[in-house]
Amino acid sequence: MLESNISERWQSEEPLDLMTMVLDVVESLAGLAARDEAERELFALERALAEELEDMVVPVHLLPCLYSGLGLAGDSETFFSIDNCLMNRVLVRREGIPVSLGILLIHLCRRFGVDAEGINFPGHFLVRIRSEEEGTVIDPFTGRHLSRHEIEQLLRGARGNLARLAPEHLKGTSDTEILVRLLNVTKAAYINEQQFGKALGCSELLLRLKPDCPFERRDRGFLYEQLGCGQLAADDFEFFIEQRPDDPIADVLKAQIAGLDLSPKTLH
């Protein structure tokens, strides 16, 4: 029933609130109790932030109150962990990675009347906050305003020393694309922990956002292969080959299919 409800909500023409979709992810991957936990913690954080901001100019003081006053922070010690991806755990710990903290920052900005949008920057998710006509780029990992030089350094860290900052690097992105980025990071974290069933859950959610995307189907095929579901893996690999016959990996996938056990399996 949950998967059906998510499909209906995510495929509706009505734009969905970013945090609502993120909580759908929590519920799908970790259960209803985890979603309830996230909603309680989010309400508590919103209430605490409102108290911190009382009688203050919100656009000026929101970041200091959130990061210094309420302890929101980036987790650099266990960066690629599930705790930094699932919003219930991010809210409980008040720690995360750029994309999860960025989602939380965008939500809180909008909740308190500040215009904010995500930037799908290479290697490091960023947030733009607008006050009147001006826009400031924020690193959600630290809560700091970034100079152009600092942004260029982030780009070179992700793309190499020859990379040059261009306008397209700082374009705002849609809430759906932010969710895609979160799901991809979450999938990678589950794969890193060899929780392939949970990673498959991320792939299924990604395919609700990007139906029939050949690359998502290819990646789901690799997860099916890890889970011993040869026929399902072959179906996804064949879809990729049909859609992207000139891609260099197509020949690799043909060899993969030849080596799969195609006998029926039950996926639990």
PDB file of all heavy atoms in Angstrom, residues 44-70:
ATOM      1  N   ALA A  44      10.098  19.535  16.650  1.00  0.00           N
ATOM      2  CA  ALA A  44      10.873  20.056  17.783  1.00  0.00           C
ATOM      3  C   ALA A  44      11.932  21.052  17.314  1.00  0.00           C
ATOM      4  O   ALA A  44      12.165  22.080  17.954  1.00  0.00           O
ATOM      5  CB  ALA A  44      11.531  18.900  18.541  1.00  0.00           C
ATOM      6  N   LEU A  45      12.575  20.754  16.186  1.00  0.00           N
ATOM      7  CA  LEU A  45      13.598  21.656  15.648  1.00  0.00           C
ATOM      8  C   LEU A  45      12.974  22.963  15.176  1.00  0.00           C
ATOM      9  O   LEU A  45      13.520  24.048  15.426  1.00  0.00           O
ATOM     10  CB  LEU A  45      14.351  20.976  14.500  1.00  0.00           C
ATOM     11  CG  LEU A  45      15.489  21.779  13.857  1.00  0.00           C
ATOM     12  CD1 LEU A  45      16.548  22.173  14.894  1.00  0.00           C
ATOM     13  CD2 LEU A  45      16.127  20.984  12.723  1.00  0.00           C
ATOM     14  N   GLU A  46      11.846  22.878  14.510  1.00  0.00           N
ATOM     15  CA  GLU A  46      11.157  24.095  14.058  1.00  0.00           C
ATOM     16  C   GLU A  46      10.763  24.965  15.253  1.00  0.00           C
ATOM     17  O   GLU A  46      10.920  26.190  15.214  1.00  0.00           O
ATOM     18  CB  GLU A  46       9.913  23.720  13.245  1.00  0.00           C
ATOM     19  CG  GLU A  46      10.223  23.134  11.885  1.00  0.00           C
ATOM     20  CD  GLU A  46       8.977  22.655  11.163  1.00  0.00           C
ATOM     21  OE1 GLU A  46       7.887  22.623  11.788  1.00  0.00           O
ATOM     22  OE2 GLU A  46       9.074  22.294   9.978  1.00  0.00           O
ATOM     23  N   ARG A  47      10.259  24.334  16.300  1.00  0.00           N
ATOM     24  CA  ARG A  47       9.853  25.092  17.494  1.00  0.00           C
ATOM     25  C   ARG A  47      11.060  25.733  18.165  1.00  0.00           C
ATOM     26  O   ARG A  47      11.018  26.907  18.557  1.00  0.00           O
ATOM     27  CB  ARG A  47       9.129  24.159  18.473  1.00  0.00           C
ATOM     28  CG  ARG A  47       8.566  24.867  19.709  1.00  0.00           C
ATOM     29  CD  ARG A  47       7.727  23.903  20.519  1.00  0.00           C
ATOM     30  NE  ARG A  47       8.497  22.724  20.914  1.00  0.00           N
ATOM     31  CZ  ARG A  47       7.961  21.670  21.517  1.00  0.00           C
ATOM     32  NH1 ARG A  47       6.654  21.637  21.760  1.00  0.00           N
ATOM     33  NH2 ARG A  47       8.712  20.651  21.865  1.00  0.00           N
ATOM     34  N   ALA A  48      12.160  24.982  18.276  1.00  0.00           N
ATOM     35  CA  ALA A  48      13.372  25.532  18.897  1.00  0.00           C
ATOM     36  C   ALA A  48      13.942  26.681  18.064  1.00  0.00           C
ATOM     37  O   ALA A  48      14.404  27.693  18.613  1.00  0.00           O
ATOM     38  CB  ALA A  48      14.419  24.427  19.056  1.00  0.00           C
ATOM     39  N   LEU A  49      13.899  26.544  16.739  1.00  0.00           N
ATOM     40  CA  LEU A  49      14.409  27.606  15.867  1.00  0.00           C
ATOM     41  C   LEU A  49      13.542  28.851  15.982  1.00  0.00           C
ATOM     42  O   LEU A  49      14.067  29.980  15.991  1.00  0.00           O
ATOM     43  CB  LEU A  49      14.462  27.108  14.426  1.00  0.00           C
ATOM     44  CG  LEU A  49      15.079  28.055  13.398  1.00  0.00           C
ATOM     45  CD1 LEU A  49      16.503  28.457  13.796  1.00  0.00           C
ATOM     46  CD2 LEU A  49      15.081  27.414  12.014  1.00  0.00           C
ATOM     47  N   ALA A  50      12.222  28.670  16.087  1.00  0.00           N
ATOM     48  CA  ALA A  50      11.325  29.817  16.251  1.00  0.00           C
ATOM     49  C   ALA A  50      11.648  30.576  17.537  1.00  0.00           C
ATOM     50  O   ALA A  50      11.645  31.813  17.565  1.00  0.00           O
ATOM     51  CB  ALA A  50       9.872  29.345  16.268  1.00  0.00           C
ATOM     52  N   GLU A  51      11.960  29.827  18.600  1.00  0.00           N
ATOM     53  CA  GLU A  51      12.323  30.476  19.870  1.00  0.00           C
ATOM     54  C   GLU A  51      13.647  31.224  19.737  1.00  0.00           C
ATOM     55  O   GLU A  51      13.806  32.335  20.246  1.00  0.00           O
ATOM     56  CB  GLU A  51      12.398  29.429  20.980  1.00  0.00           C
ATOM     57  CG  GLU A  51      11.044  28.833  21.354  1.00  0.00           C
ATOM     58  CD  GLU A  51      11.157  27.665  22.325  1.00  0.00           C
ATOM     59  OE1 GLU A  51      12.311  27.294  22.679  1.00  0.00           O
ATOM     60  OE2 GLU A  51      10.111  27.117  22.711  1.00  0.00           O
ATOM     61  N   GLU A  52      14.622  30.605  19.048  1.00  0.00           N
ATOM     62  CA  GLU A  52      15.921  31.250  18.853  1.00  0.00           C
ATOM     63  C   GLU A  52      15.791  32.541  18.042  1.00  0.00           C
ATOM     64  O   GLU A  52      16.510  33.512  18.277  1.00  0.00           O
ATOM     65  CB  GLU A  52      16.878  30.288  18.124  1.00  0.00           C
ATOM     66  CG  GLU A  52      17.351  29.118  18.961  1.00  0.00           C
ATOM     67  CD  GLU A  52      18.605  29.429  19.754  1.00  0.00           C
ATOM     68  OE1 GLU A  52      19.385  30.297  19.334  1.00  0.00           O
ATOM     69  OE2 GLU A  52      18.793  28.793  20.809  1.00  0.00           O
ATOM     70  N   LEU A  53      14.870  32.534  17.070  1.00  0.00           N
ATOM     71  CA  LEU A  53      14.739  33.666  16.149  1.00  0.00           C
ATOM     72  C   LEU A  53      13.798  34.757  16.655  1.00  0.00           C
ATOM     73  O   LEU A  53      13.619  35.771  15.972  1.00  0.00           O
ATOM     74  CB  LEU A  53      14.229  33.160  14.790  1.00  0.00           C
ATOM     75  CG  LEU A  53      15.220  32.369  13.948  1.00  0.00           C
ATOM     76  CD1 LEU A  53      14.523  31.717  12.767  1.00  0.00           C
ATOM     77  CD2 LEU A  53      16.358  33.269  13.466  1.00  0.00           C
ATOM     78  N   GLU A  54      13.219  34.556  17.824  1.00  0.00           N
ATOM     79  CA  GLU A  54      12.254  35.539  18.339  1.00  0.00           C
ATOM     80  C   GLU A  54      12.899  36.924  18.423  1.00  0.00           C
ATOM     81  O   GLU A  54      13.989  37.094  18.967  1.00  0.00           O
ATOM     82  CB  GLU A  54      11.757  35.111  19.714  1.00  0.00           C
ATOM     83  CG  GLU A  54      10.559  35.901  20.180  1.00  0.00           C
ATOM     84  CD  GLU A  54       9.955  35.332  21.459  1.00  0.00           C
ATOM     85  OE1 GLU A  54      10.497  34.344  21.990  1.00  0.00           O
ATOM     86  OE2 GLU A  54       8.950  35.878  21.921  1.00  0.00           O
ATOM     87  N   ASP A  55      12.191  37.927  17.840  1.00  0.00           N
ATOM     88  CA  ASP A  55      12.640  39.330  17.837  1.00  0.00           C
ATOM     89  C   ASP A  55      13.922  39.542  17.025  1.00  0.00           C
ATOM     90  O   ASP A  55      14.595  40.564  17.182  1.00  0.00           O
ATOM     91  CB  ASP A  55      12.851  39.857  19.266  1.00  0.00           C
ATOM     92  CG  ASP A  55      11.570  39.795  20.091  1.00  0.00           C
ATOM     93  OD1 ASP A  55      10.488  40.008  19.506  1.00  0.00           O
ATOM     94  OD2 ASP A  55      11.659  39.527  21.297  1.00  0.00           O
ATOM     95  N   MET A  56      14.291  38.577  16.167  1.00  0.00           N
ATOM     96  CA  MET A  56      15.470  38.738  15.311  1.00  0.00           C
ATOM     97  C   MET A  56      15.045  38.896  13.850  1.00  0.00           C
ATOM     98  O   MET A  56      13.929  38.546  13.469  1.00  0.00           O
ATOM     99  CB  MET A  56      16.398  37.519  15.426  1.00  0.00           C
ATOM    100  CG  MET A  56      17.086  37.371  16.763  1.00  0.00           C
ATOM    101  SD  MET A  56      18.246  35.968  16.740  1.00  0.00           S
ATOM    102  CE  MET A  56      18.947  36.092  18.387  1.00  0.00           C
ATOM    103  N   VAL A  57      15.959  39.426  13.029  1.00  0.00           N
ATOM    104  CA  VAL A  57      15.742  39.494  11.585  1.00  0.00           C
ATOM    105  C   VAL A  57      16.053  38.116  11.015  1.00  0.00           C
ATOM    106  O   VAL A  57      17.218  37.684  11.011  1.00  0.00           O
ATOM    107  CB  VAL A  57      16.650  40.566  10.946  1.00  0.00           C
ATOM    108  CG1 VAL A  57      16.409  40.614   9.436  1.00  0.00           C
ATOM    109  CG2 VAL A  57      16.397  41.929  11.572  1.00  0.00           C
ATOM    110  N   VAL A  58      15.020  37.427  10.564  1.00  0.00           N
ATOM    111  CA  VAL A  58      15.162  36.009  10.218  1.00  0.00           C
ATOM    112  C   VAL A  58      16.237  35.744   9.167  1.00  0.00           C
ATOM    113  O   VAL A  58      17.111  34.881   9.376  1.00  0.00           O
ATOM    114  CB  VAL A  58      13.801  35.408   9.783  1.00  0.00           C
ATOM    115  CG1 VAL A  58      13.976  33.986   9.254  1.00  0.00           C
ATOM    116  CG2 VAL A  58      12.839  35.406  10.965  1.00  0.00           C
ATOM    117  N   PRO A  59      16.246  36.437   8.000  1.00  0.00           N
ATOM    118  CA  PRO A  59      17.265  36.105   6.994  1.00  0.00           C
ATOM    119  C   PRO A  59      18.699  36.281   7.484  1.00  0.00           C
ATOM    120  O   PRO A  59      19.603  35.591   7.034  1.00  0.00           O
ATOM    121  CB  PRO A  59      16.957  37.080   5.842  1.00  0.00           C
ATOM    122  CG  PRO A  59      15.532  37.464   6.031  1.00  0.00           C
ATOM    123  CD  PRO A  59      15.330  37.489   7.515  1.00  0.00           C
ATOM    124  N   VAL A  60      18.907  37.211   8.421  1.00  0.00           N
ATOM    125  CA  VAL A  60      20.252  37.481   8.926  1.00  0.00           C
ATOM    126  C   VAL A  60      20.681  36.449   9.958  1.00  0.00           C
ATOM    127  O   VAL A  60      21.834  35.991   9.974  1.00  0.00           O
ATOM    128  CB  VAL A  60      20.329  38.894   9.540  1.00  0.00           C
ATOM    129  CG1 VAL A  60      21.684  39.138  10.197  1.00  0.00           C
ATOM    130  CG2 VAL A  60      20.047  39.955   8.478  1.00  0.00           C
ATOM    131  N   HIS A  61      19.757  36.036  10.805  1.00  0.00           N
ATOM    132  CA  HIS A  61      20.125  35.223  11.964  1.00  0.00           C
ATOM    133  C   HIS A  61      19.772  33.745  11.848  1.00  0.00           C
ATOM    134  O   HIS A  61      20.134  32.963  12.739  1.00  0.00           O
ATOM    135  CB  HIS A  61      19.463  35.794  13.227  1.00  0.00           C
ATOM    136  CG  HIS A  61      19.992  37.137  13.618  1.00  0.00           C
ATOM    137  ND1 HIS A  61      19.354  38.309  13.282  1.00  0.00           N
ATOM    138  CD2 HIS A  61      21.117  37.484  14.285  1.00  0.00           C
ATOM    139  CE1 HIS A  61      20.054  39.342  13.750  1.00  0.00           C
ATOM    140  NE2 HIS A  61      21.125  38.868  14.354  1.00  0.00           N
ATOM    141  N   LEU A  62      19.075  33.346  10.785  1.00  0.00           N
ATOM    142  CA  LEU A  62      18.639  31.942  10.695  1.00  0.00           C
ATOM    143  C   LEU A  62      19.821  30.975  10.721  1.00  0.00           C
ATOM    144  O   LEU A  62      19.811  30.006  11.479  1.00  0.00           O
ATOM    145  CB  LEU A  62      17.787  31.737   9.439  1.00  0.00           C
ATOM    146  CG  LEU A  62      17.108  30.360   9.318  1.00  0.00           C
ATOM    147  CD1 LEU A  62      15.762  30.494   8.623  1.00  0.00           C
ATOM    148  CD2 LEU A  62      17.956  29.354   8.539  1.00  0.00           C
ATOM    149  N   LEU A  63      20.843  31.226   9.916  1.00  0.00           N
ATOM    150  CA  LEU A  63      21.991  30.306   9.867  1.00  0.00           C
ATOM    151  C   LEU A  63      22.750  30.239  11.189  1.00  0.00           C
ATOM    152  O   LEU A  63      23.028  29.139  11.682  1.00  0.00           O
ATOM    153  CB  LEU A  63      22.923  30.682   8.720  1.00  0.00           C
ATOM    154  CG  LEU A  63      22.396  30.373   7.315  1.00  0.00           C
ATOM    155  CD1 LEU A  63      23.294  30.997   6.258  1.00  0.00           C
ATOM    156  CD2 LEU A  63      22.284  28.879   7.087  1.00  0.00           C
ATOM    157  N   PRO A  64      23.114  31.389  11.805  1.00  0.00           N
ATOM    158  CA  PRO A  64      23.797  31.297  13.108  1.00  0.00           C
ATOM    159  C   PRO A  64      22.968  30.575  14.167  1.00  0.00           C
ATOM    160  O   PRO A  64      23.510  29.785  14.952  1.00  0.00           O
ATOM    161  CB  PRO A  64      24.027  32.764  13.494  1.00  0.00           C
ATOM    162  CG  PRO A  64      24.026  33.496  12.200  1.00  0.00           C
ATOM    163  CD  PRO A  64      23.055  32.775  11.320  1.00  0.00           C
ATOM    164  N   CYS A  65      21.662  30.832  14.175  1.00  0.00           N
ATOM    165  CA  CYS A  65      20.810  30.158  15.163  1.00  0.00           C
ATOM    166  C   CYS A  65      20.770  28.656  14.923  1.00  0.00           C
ATOM    167  O   CYS A  65      20.807  27.862  15.869  1.00  0.00           O
ATOM    168  CB  CYS A  65      19.389  30.730  15.114  1.00  0.00           C
ATOM    169  SG  CYS A  65      19.225  32.371  15.840  1.00  0.00           S
ATOM    170  N   LEU A  66      20.714  28.276  13.665  1.00  0.00           N
ATOM    171  CA  LEU A  66      20.575  26.863  13.333  1.00  0.00           C
ATOM    172  C   LEU A  66      21.869  26.092  13.563  1.00  0.00           C
ATOM    173  O   LEU A  66      21.871  25.010  14.159  1.00  0.00           O
ATOM    174  CB  LEU A  66      20.127  26.733  11.873  1.00  0.00           C
ATOM    175  CG  LEU A  66      19.709  25.362  11.369  1.00  0.00           C
ATOM    176  CD1 LEU A  66      18.588  24.776  12.211  1.00  0.00           C
ATOM    177  CD2 LEU A  66      19.273  25.459   9.905  1.00  0.00           C
ATOM    178  N   TYR A  67      22.994  26.658  13.127  1.00  0.00           N
ATOM    179  CA  TYR A  67      24.263  25.934  13.201  1.00  0.00           C
ATOM    180  C   TYR A  67      24.985  26.150  14.528  1.00  0.00           C
ATOM    181  O   TYR A  67      25.486  25.190  15.124  1.00  0.00           O
ATOM    182  CB  TYR A  67      25.164  26.322  12.022  1.00  0.00           C
ATOM    183  CG  TYR A  67      24.735  25.673  10.722  1.00  0.00           C
ATOM    184  CD1 TYR A  67      23.723  26.230   9.943  1.00  0.00           C
ATOM    185  CD2 TYR A  67      25.317  24.494  10.281  1.00  0.00           C
ATOM    186  CE1 TYR A  67      23.315  25.634   8.755  1.00  0.00           C
ATOM    187  CE2 TYR A  67      24.920  23.885   9.094  1.00  0.00           C
ATOM    188  CZ  TYR A  67      23.908  24.459   8.343  1.00  0.00           C
ATOM    189  OH  TYR A  67      23.495  23.856   7.178  1.00  0.00           O
ATOM    190  N   SER A  68      25.046  27.385  15.001  1.00  0.00           N
ATOM    191  CA  SER A  68      25.736  27.641  16.273  1.00  0.00           C
ATOM    192  C   SER A  68      24.817  27.386  17.458  1.00  0.00           C
ATOM    193  O   SER A  68      25.180  26.702  18.412  1.00  0.00           O
ATOM    194  CB  SER A  68      26.258  29.081  16.312  1.00  0.00           C
ATOM    195  OG  SER A  68      27.217  29.282  15.294  1.00  0.00           O
ATOM    196  N   GLY A  69      23.601  27.920  17.377  1.00  0.00           N
ATOM    197  CA  GLY A  69      22.685  27.802  18.513  1.00  0.00           C
ATOM    198  C   GLY A  69      22.106  26.418  18.712  1.00  0.00           C
ATOM    199  O   GLY A  69      22.015  25.925  19.838  1.00  0.00           O
ATOM    200  N   LEU A  70      21.701  25.767  17.609  1.00  0.00           N
ATOM    201  CA  LEU A  70      20.987  24.490  17.710  1.00  0.00           C
ATOM    202  C   LEU A  70      21.838  23.292  17.296  1.00  0.00           C
ATOM    203  O   LEU A  70      21.360  22.161  17.299  1.00  0.00           O
ATOM    204  CB  LEU A  70      19.701  24.551  16.875  1.00  0.00           C
ATOM    205  CG  LEU A  70      18.682  25.583  17.377  1.00  0.00           C
ATOM    206  CD1 LEU A  70      17.504  25.694  16.415  1.00  0.00           C
ATOM    207  CD2 LEU A  70      18.189  25.227  18.776  1.00  0.00           C
TER     208      LEU A  70
END
